[in-house]
Amino acid sequence: AQSVTQLDSQVPVFEEAPVELRCNYSSSVSVYLFWYVQYPNQGLQLLLKYLSGSTLVKGINGFEAEFNKSQTSFHLRKPSVHISDTAEYFCAVSEGSGSARQLTFGSGTQLTVLP
Amino acid sequence: EAQVTQNPRYLITVTGKKLTVTCSQNMNHEYMSWYRQDPGLGLRQIYYSMNVEVTDKGDVPEGYKVSRKEKRNFPLILESPSPNQTSLYFCASSFYRGQGASNYGYTFGSGTRLTVV
């Protein structure tokens, strides 16, 4: 069964600093990987996804993530954050074959950008 | 506009009073799913449906029912709500996973915040 671990529940960072939100997954088969963002009192918005091909994936709002199969990681990065990036971020995995059953989420990372 | 629509956005109810949260999508997606979000736990899947009349349990199905009579609709039913079902609920839909299909991905509704007293 697949699972997702987001190693940091809270990440405070100063405005214009770089940030990395960590995500590790476990699965016995190939996977599709996603990062979602949830702003306060809103639903989930897709930031980026890895389906196949290049392991460096660029998303919206200047975010990018790198798929590392050997380390089973999909860390999210942004070189310079803004106050408006304050939100909760969720990593999710879907297995690339077999049942369409499951998009499994991590427990989330609250990113707080400080002025 | 392509979207998943949930109603209501907010709901306060009493223990034991049956309720239904509706979910509708206009993207002709085969796959639909319900999640609940609780602090520190992320999103956990309640039920999913791979197509009309095909549903199956997720990780936390106890106390919930679903039906999929039409492709676009996937209501979530709580026949006897209890306080431990107080949560934020999300409906999501997707095309069925195709190998490397670039349009594969999940679209989420805006959420339903349910409080059971």
Side-chain angles (χ1 to χ4, degrees), chain B residues 10-77:
Chain B
Y10 300 92
L11 179 60
I12 301 175
T13 190
V14 296
T15 299
K17 184 176 182 181
K18 181 179 178 178
L19 65 92
T20 299
V21 183
T22 64
C23 174
S24 180
Q25 51 94 3
N26 62 0
M27 296 164 282
N28 202 34
H29 286 166
E30 297 91 356
Y31 183 84
M32 297 185 75
S33 181
W34 276 103
Y35 290 84
R36 62 178 288 174
Q37 182 183 8
D38 302 290
L41 298 177
L43 282 83
R44 294 176 293 166
Q45 191 179 51
I46 303 170
Y47 269 95
Y48 66 97
S49 169
M50 289 167 62
N51 215 323
V52 175
E53 303 291 4
V54 181
T55 63
D56 205 351
K57 297 176 181 178
D59 295 319
V60 288
E62 294 77 20
Y64 304 95
K65 282 179 59 177
V66 293
S67 68
R68 187 93 180 271
K69 293 183 169 52
E70 305 167 282
K71 196 172 185 179
R72 62 182 292 124
N73 295 324
F74 191 46
L76 179 70
I77 302 157

Side-chain angles (χ1 to χ4, degrees), chain A residues 43-81:
Chain A
L44 281 80
Q45 179 182 4
L46 180 66
L47 268 180
L48 49 78
K49 62 184 176 183
Y50 170 80
L51 302 181
S52 65
S54 173
T55 57
L56 182 63
V57 180
K58 294 189 183 299
I60 61 171
N61 302 340
F63 284 93
E64 64 180 31
E66 185 157 19
F67 170 55
N68 188 319
K69 188 175 182 179
S70 62
Q71 297 188 4
T72 60
S73 67
F74 191 55
H75 300 332
L76 181 70
R77 301 185 184 99
K78 187 171 182 178
S80 176
V81 294

Side-chain angles (χ1 to χ4, degrees), chain A residues 7-83:
Chain A
L7 296 160
D8 306 297
S9 59
Q10 308 256 359
V11 174
V13 63
F14 287 106
E15 194 173 16
E16 298 184 5
V19 70
E20 178 180 81
L21 305 184
R22 296 180 293 168
C23 172
N24 286 89
Y25 68 92
S26 69
S27 174
S28 58
V29 298
S30 63
V31 295
Y32 298 154
L33 294 156
F34 305 82
W35 275 99
Y36 285 87
V37 60
Q38 185 179 32
Y39 298 104
N41 299 314
Q42 294 189 25
L44 281 80
Q45 179 182 4
L46 180 66
L47 268 180
L48 49 78
K49 62 184 176 183
Y50 170 80
L51 302 181
S52 65
S54 173
T55 57
L56 182 63
V57 180
K58 294 189 183 299
I60 61 171
N61 302 340
F63 284 93
E64 64 180 31
E66 185 157 19
F67 170 55
N68 188 319
K69 188 175 182 179
S70 62
Q71 297 188 4
T72 60
S73 67
F74 191 55
H75 300 332
L76 181 70
R77 301 185 184 99
K78 187 171 182 178
S80 176
V81 294
H82 303 290
I83 297 286

Side-chain angles (χ1 to χ4, degrees), chain A residues 30 32 34 36 38 41-46 49 51-52 88 90 94-108, chain B residues 9 31 35 37 40-43 45 48 50 57-59 88 90 96-106 108-110 113:
Chain A
S30 63
Y32 298 154
F34 305 82
Y36 285 87
Q38 185 179 32
N41 299 314
Q42 294 189 25
L44 281 80
Q45 179 182 4
L46 180 66
K49 62 184 176 183
L51 302 181
S52 65
E88 189 152 26
F90 292 96
S94 174
E95 289 187 336
S97 62
S99 170
R101 175 178 180 271
Q102 196 100 350
L103 181 66
T104 301
F105 285 84
S107 55
Chain B
R9 288 292 308 275
Y31 183 84
Y35 290 84
Q37 182 183 8
L41 298 177
L43 282 83
Q45 191 179 51
Y48 66 97
M50 289 167 62
K57 297 176 181 178
D59 295 319
L88 179 58
F90 287 102
Y96 189 88
R97 180 176 41 244
Q99 191 65 26
S102 61
N103 62 356
Y104 176 64
Y106 292 75
F108 283 81
S110 298
R113 187 168 293 281

